[in-house]
Amino acid sequence: MSAPDFLRLEDLARDGRLRGQRVFLRADFNVPLAADGTLADDTRIRATLPGIRLCLEAGAAVMLASHLGRPTEGALGDADSLAPVAARLTELLGAPVPLVRDWVGGAFDVAPGSAVLLENCRGNRGEKADSAELAACIASWIDVYANEAFGAAHRSECTTHALALAAPLACAGPLMAAELDALGRALAAPARPLVAIVGGSKVSTKLSVLERLADRVDVLVVGGGIANTFLAARGASVGASLHEPELLDAARRVERRLERRGARLWLPADVLTADRFAADARVAVRAAEAVPEGEMILDVGPVSRAALGGVLAAAGTIVWNGPLGVFEFPAFAEGSRALAEAIAASRAFSIAGGGDTLAAIAAFGVERHIDYISTGGGAFLEFLEGRELPAVAALKIRARPNSRRILPTAHYENESEAA
């Protein structure tokens, strides 16, 4: 994605266009909470700090907004509150970040150079429905809209889509811009060979991704239950392994699409099997095409690990989504470990995304050696599928010359019932 496609928050700050302005920064603070209501992980909060600090240092009055969970609109409970996030932001920024409730009408104060956190936006009536009326109400008291929530960019909701169209000025924050730049580099104009790794349990959940990548990559590596279905499609016996017999023809179509382009599908030659799905199961090394009845594939074998290392060492660009096996069980973690370490050692530009992928990256300690780690889950997958993300589409519309705000004729009438 090229620079003219969207405005950037950094450019506005550099040009002095944020000073004294009320900046509505849509973040992704949908963080995991512990049983006692405290933060279990603050990765997404820390990832947004550069954009927040950029606004504060530019003299903007910053209003942070995010969703958390799936609350009932108009009826937020204590468990839905962003209060733990406000407390953590206060610690990280070294300055108070008050939590503002009942904020839709803009009846609150925030001074230039300071920030507030607006209570869970999914409590507002009309948020999920992408209400243009709600967007117009919010847009009436802000100057700049900045989107930093790539993880929610695939959703057409008020604070990710309609508000970007209605705000006086709409731009991408540094985190959003970095995501789009990295994905564009990996897929729009990649250094070749382009290698994509797609793991996971089911072909059905990632079929459109596989089909899209089959038209673009040089090597498509599949792992996990997805690989089992592709092995079965080639006529291999996969024993009791998780696979989808109803999708064998779909798997064959993907492989044929690759072959027609001169690209190839990578499947393991050997695998690790278990007699049951358990951490202490009996482990055996089997040829991938001949798994006995009653055994299930839970990882790739040593020959396959070495072969994949060679593929990745020769890559120019690597896109990684999903582990190769059940890496949560130590006996079946070596395939995903070898994958992570081979990507980290490769000279290729590498980008990784997806919840299981991030967990594997953390488990094997290769964070600093992956060129870009996407914060998006569903958004990352939909980008790989080639879909236009609604939040990104809105930013592109607003970046066009002479772009005008899109405002409804009606007014939002549920302010008193909003979060």
Side-chain angles (χ1 to χ4, degrees):
M1 184 168 296
S2 59
D5 280 339
F6 53 89
L7 298 177
R8 297 171 184 253
L9 187 65
E10 295 103 318
D11 293 338
L12 299 180
R14 184 176 57 251
D15 295 343
R17 298 170 68 185
L18 297 183
R19 182 164 300 280
Q21 300 295 288
R22 290 167 68 90
V23 176
F24 185 103
L25 193 150
R26 176 51 161 101
D28 183 4
F29 296 147
N30 188 32
V31 294
L33 300 177
D36 62 358
T38 59
L39 290 182
D41 183 82
D42 67 353
T43 301
R44 288 181 174 176
I45 299 173
R46 287 185 285 106
T48 314
L49 291 178
I52 298 172
R53 290 189 173 119
L54 179 70
C55 293
L56 294 175
E57 292 168 4
V62 184
M63 297 158 287
L64 304 169
S66 177
H67 70 285
L68 178 64
R70 299 179 179 178
T72 300
E73 289 188 358
L76 286 182
D78 291 343
D80 305 313
S81 178
L82 286 167
V85 175
R88 184 60 177 142
L89 282 167
T90 295
E91 294 173 354
L92 292 170
L93 292 172
V97 180
L99 181 66
V100 179
R101 297 178 172 84
D102 301 321
W103 53 267
V104 168
F108 60 90
D109 294 323
V110 53
S114 63
V116 298
L117 177 62
L118 309 178
E119 185 58 286
N120 195 335
C121 63
R122 282 194 179 162
N124 299 329
R125 294 190 186 279
E127 172 66 19
K128 291 288 289 180
D130 197 23
S131 168
E133 291 76 26
L134 173 58
C137 180
I138 299 171
S140 68
W141 45 264
I142 69 174
D143 301 304
V144 177
Y145 168 87
N147 195 329
E148 280 284 67
F150 179 77
H154 60 309
R155 303 187 186 280
S156 292
E157 298 182 356
C158 178
T159 57
T160 59
H161 180 255
L163 184 55
L165 297 174
L169 195 62
C171 64
L175 181 60
M176 171 70 85
E179 292 270 5
L180 298 176
D181 288 343
L183 286 165
R185 176 177 174 183
L187 295 175
R192 300 282 179 174
L194 169 57
V195 179
I197 302 104
V198 180
S201 59
K202 294 183 178 181
V203 171
S204 55
T205 61
K206 295 184 177 179
L207 179 57
S208 55
V209 173
L210 293 166
E211 290 174 336
R212 178 72 171 181
L213 291 174
D215 293 331
R216 308 176 81 166
V217 304
D218 300 296
V219 183
L220 177 59
V221 177
V222 292
I226 292 175
N228 301 340
T229 298
F230 277 87
L231 287 168
R234 286 184 174 180
S237 171
V238 295
S241 305
L242 174 66
H243 69 293
E244 296 173 282
E246 70 278 10
L247 289 177
L248 297 185
D249 285 342
R252 295 183 187 108
R253 287 196 301 271
V254 169
E255 186 162 12
R256 285 197 296 269
R257 289 171 80 156
L258 287 161
E259 290 173 345
R260 283 196 295 268
R261 297 180 44 251
R264 70 184 180 97
L265 175 72
W266 185 95
L267 285 171
D270 63 336
V271 294
L272 299 187
T273 67
D275 57 347
R276 55 197 174 88
F277 190 81
D280 60 349
R282 179 174 53 83
V283 182
V285 180
R286 305 290 188 189
E289 69 274 7
V291 175
E293 291 296 326
E295 293 185 9
M296 60 185 71
I297 301 170
L298 296 186
D299 197 9
V300 301
V303 172
S304 300
R305 294 197 294 266
L308 183 56
V311 171
L312 297 174
T317 305
I318 299 171
V319 178
W320 178 20
N321 176 251
L324 296 184
V326 187
F327 72 93
E328 296 86 353
F329 295 163
F332 304 102
E334 290 310 305
S336 297
R337 181 189 301 278
L339 170 65
E341 292 177 349
I343 294 173
S346 174
R347 290 180 293 179
F349 174 75
S350 56
I351 182 169
D356 289 342
T357 310
L358 301 187
I361 289 171
F364 304 128
V366 297
E367 296 96 328
R368 289 184 295 175
H369 304 288
I370 307 295
D371 289 297
Y372 195 82
I373 300 174
S374 174
T375 59
F380 181 79
L381 284 177
E382 291 199 15
F383 196 103
L384 295 186
E385 290 174 25
R387 297 189 192 182
E388 179 82 283
L389 305 182
V392 178
L395 293 178
K396 290 167 68 175
I397 289 171
R398 295 306 309 280
R400 294 172 184 167
N402 303 315
S403 170
R404 295 184 178 182
R405 303 163 64 183
I406 300 176
L407 296 169
T409 55
H411 296 287
Y412 184 68
E413 297 177 349
N414 295 302
E415 294 176 27
S416 62
E417 298 175 337

